[in-house]
Amino acid sequence: MIKYVPGMTSVVIEEIPDRVTLAVDISNCQGNCVGCHSPFLKTDVGDPLTEEVIDALVAANFGVDCFLFLGEGRDLPRLLALAEHVRSKGLLVALYSGRTGVEEEIYAAFDYVKVGPYIEKYGPLNSRTTNQRLYRVHHGADGTFSKEDITARFWRRGIDPNVAIKA
Ligand code: SF4
């Protein structure tokens, strides 16, 4: 099961370049970032995130073209199924993971994947010294995919580096 935190969903424009993104906080985070911005997300809080809940959230936020899982939880098969559901609705699907690396299955299922824990001395994605990486995943018609590191997009856009993008 994947759980999300109702009341914390928001439409964002900075987390995924060029997209109007519906961001949903996912609990049961596998990360262990020092100075974690939301320690409660490491616990089993929230409500089940189902296909029906995703449909309702998207319907309530008309105009979004990307759905962002802020966290991956601890149920990979369900995460992949939910990602596939989002894509079946014609939306792009993105994941912010706190892990250094994720399974290839995740890249195969998502259009954007952020990896890397938040490390204060390196800064968030919009810091040129960041250890985190955002990949745009390009999918071929034959099921193959390739990853493009687009982290530098955060640096060119002049986003205030003091405004932390969520880990
Ligand atoms: S990925 Fe986010 S929620 Fe998870 S430990 Fe790191 S800062 Fe906390």
Side-chain angles (χ1 to χ4, degrees), residues 29 31-33 36-38 41-42 97-98 118 167:
C29 176
N32 197 23
C33 307
C36 170
H37 54 70
S38 306
L41 290 177
K42 294 192 279 189
S97 169
Y118 174 70

Side-chain angles (χ1 to χ4, degrees), residues 21-49:
T21 299
L22 178 58
V24 177
D25 279 281
I26 305 297
S27 61
N28 289 302
C29 176
Q30 299 181 36
N32 197 23
C33 307
V34 176
C36 170
H37 54 70
S38 306
F40 68 95
L41 290 177
K42 294 192 279 189
T43 67
D44 187 35
V45 297
D47 293 348
L49 184 64

Side-chain angles (χ1 to χ4, degrees), residues 81-107:
L82 292 174
E84 183 178 339
H85 178 76
V86 171
R87 294 179 82 192
S88 77
K89 298 295 178 180
L91 298 180
L92 295 165
V93 61
L95 171 68
Y96 268 36
S97 169
R99 291 187 289 155
T100 302
V102 298
E103 295 80 0
E104 291 295 292
E105 300 160 273
I106 287 183
Y107 288 108

Side-chain angles (χ1 to χ4, degrees), residues 12-21 65-66 92 112 136:
V12 296
I13 57 171
E14 294 191 346
E15 273 73 0
I16 302 297
D18 305 327
R19 300 296 171 195
V20 180
T21 299
D65 61 3
C66 184
L92 295 165
Y112 296 89
R136 174 71 162 102

